[in-house]
Amino acid sequence: MSPPSIPAESRYFGTPTGNLLGIITASLFLPAIFCSFLGDWLCTRFGRRITVMVGSVFIIAGGAWNGMSQSLAHFIACAYLL
């Protein structure tokens, strides 16, 4: 794996390899599996328009929170929580 292109990235996250790199990658996609069932229930209960608006707010807040991560653990936790 090549070193991160942004110096701040390597300062906070180092150069992860192996399982740790897999966890970082999976943390971005695994929550989608569980949230799809929640989204289906919310759309049925409240309608698609409201669910999409609320989901969009969560995505923006989650992206901002994830962008402000100061450590690798914080980055992974943010991806799972939002």
Side-chain angles (χ1 to χ4, degrees), residues 32-70:
I33 294 170
F34 304 109
C35 289
S36 62
F37 296 109
L38 177 64
D40 176 48
W41 180 79
L42 289 172
C43 282
T44 303
R45 177 98 168 112
F46 300 108
R48 196 173 7 176
R49 182 176 295 173
I50 293 172
T51 303
V52 169
M53 284 190 277
V54 171
S56 297
V57 169
F58 273 99
I59 288 173
I60 292 168
W65 191 21
N66 212 338
M68 293 184 285
S69 298
Q70 295 293 314

Side-chain angles (χ1 to χ4, degrees), residues 1-4 13-25 72:
M1 183 178 133
S2 64
F13 304 128
T15 48
T17 58
N19 290 336
L20 186 57
L21 189 59
I23 290 171
I24 294 169
T25 304
L72 188 57

